[in-house]
Amino acid sequence: MDRKKQPRGTRNSRRERNKQTFPKKVALISVLGVSFILICGGVYATKIMQPKPKEVSKVKDDSLYKQKEALLLEKIREAKKQEELQSTEQEKTEGSIQTLIYEPVTTDTIPQLPTIKTELTILIEEAKKNLPKETAAKIVGYVKKIKTNEQVIGYQTTVDTYTWDSKKEDWSEKTVLGKNVAYVNQKTKQPLTLQDIFISEANLLAIYQVLQQKLLDESPDGNSVIDGVLNMPKISLDGTAFTYYPDKISLELPENPTGKKEITLPYKEIANYINPEFVDPDAIKDAVSAPLDPDKKYISLTFDDGPNPETTPRLLDILKEKDVKATFFMLGQNVVKNEELVKRVAEEGHEVASHSYSHPQLTGVDEQIVKDEVQQTDKAIYHAIGKIPTDFRPPYGAVNTEVAKIINKPIIQWSVDSQDWESHNAEAIIKRIHDTAYHDTIILMHDIHPETVDAVATVIDHLRGEGYEILPSKKLLGNKAKPLHMYYGSKDERLVQ
């Protein structure tokens, strides 16, 4: 379909309008273009007229950096000159990292030096790896001297890392210490040993009892692991690995049911069994038992073969009334039948000790029976009061070296025998003790005999009348009794033979 033709007048009119609009558009574009050029030119002119702060600042930073770098190096080197442990410097620079290593000059006083140097190299390499990239740093490796006391000196690898902080315009410092300290006995110039610290195997065996109890205390259910703990192989001076600290010691443990591989004992818990020359004095301050007053008379009351439900409660009443603490050497077979009575003995401040399970003469039976007699009683007493007995009185006083090693507890004998087991007479018991008692001795009685209980109040009164202070046996012995030794009094200690 053909389009209708527009009138000629209409087409002419449109051309005229277009002719008039075009010059206006050109003018507008020109104005915008000129404006844009002027703006850009102004910005550029302003920019090139401003100073260059980055270049000036960089020069300033370099100058400050060099100044503080020189001060830091001077400080480091001066500090090393002032240290008691003299050393020589080895310097190495790799890019922006400068390493200063200070090795001790006197090497014969540090037998572990090769190990120390190896650890120092490892620490330095770790410090380098941990640095941010392209960071100016100073790594200073040296051996730090630690003086515990006159007899023990420790040496510890140390790495100080200084990194430049451009924002703070100063050095930041970080120190990393080696995991191990090499301790040296200043008498022998050799690495510290367990013998230095504990002196004797007997003292270490006393510590063994402490760590057994600690394992049980830290176990969620001591009764479930007590067999394994009691049967754990003993530690020894030569065969036990350890980590020494000025205030405590960590001992490697044999395989045991608790799963623990080591145990840490503060010296204050074992102060009576260590050599004070080799520990920090503050670690055992007020922990070592004070000696008994030499101007006083002391004596100890001990009771064997109980507990007995008929006689022991009455005895406890008398001791409570007289304010006397005693030591009870109990038979395991009686403990299992009278647990509440055992608890009462412990709760009232008396010592609970072992007298075997069924009262055999231990020197006349085989080793397994000795072991069973000791361990069954340990278990029975632990089940009753949560503590393993630390002291042992062998039935009839019969003991030898082999038996003592199995018992692994201090052997508490006696020096005054009341002979209550023979007389069964209160007056005879009172007279016997009166005639034979003397200073620093241990009296033997039995809480299973009614006549003994009848005599106790008078015995206490007579002893006090003669000036005696009555103590439980452990306290009489200064809390220092140890396995493989037997004691008849505070001044009569003998090695079991």
Side-chain angles (χ1 to χ4, degrees), residues 424-445:
H424 293 283
N425 181 285
E427 291 300 322
I429 295 168
I430 294 168
K431 185 177 187 306
R432 172 71 181 176
I433 293 175
H434 180 270
D435 292 344
T436 58
Y438 58 99
H439 179 37
D440 288 329
T441 52
I442 300 171
I443 300 174
L444 169 65
M445 292 184 280

Side-chain angles (χ1 to χ4, degrees), residues 162-176:
Y162 302 88
T163 53
W164 179 252
D165 189 329
S166 56
K167 292 182 179 179
K168 295 180 180 179
E169 295 185 326
D170 206 348
W171 295 95
S172 61
E173 179 182 358
K174 179 183 178 181
T175 298
V176 176

Side-chain angles (χ1 to χ4, degrees), residues 34 57 73 85 117 126 204 237 253 319 349 363 414 480:
V34 171
S57 175
L73 291 173
L85 183 63
K117 290 171 67 175
E126 289 178 350
L204 187 62
L237 291 175
L253 294 175
L319 294 175
T363 53
W414 62 89
K480 296 180 181 180

Side-chain angles (χ1 to χ4, degrees), residues 16 47 68 71 75 98 221 241 253 281 335 337 339 351 362 394 406 410 437 468 490:
E16 291 299 325
K47 184 176 181 181
K68 292 202 171 184
L71 289 173
K75 175 185 173 183
Q98 183 180 17
D221 182 7
L253 294 175
V335 170
K337 294 182 289 187
E339 286 190 356
E351 292 175 0
L362 298 178
I406 298 171
Y468 287 103
S490 62

Side-chain angles (χ1 to χ4, degrees), residues 40-52:
C40 291
V43 170
Y44 177 77
T46 302
K47 184 176 181 181
I48 63 174
M49 290 177 67
Q50 289 180 345
K52 298 179 179 179

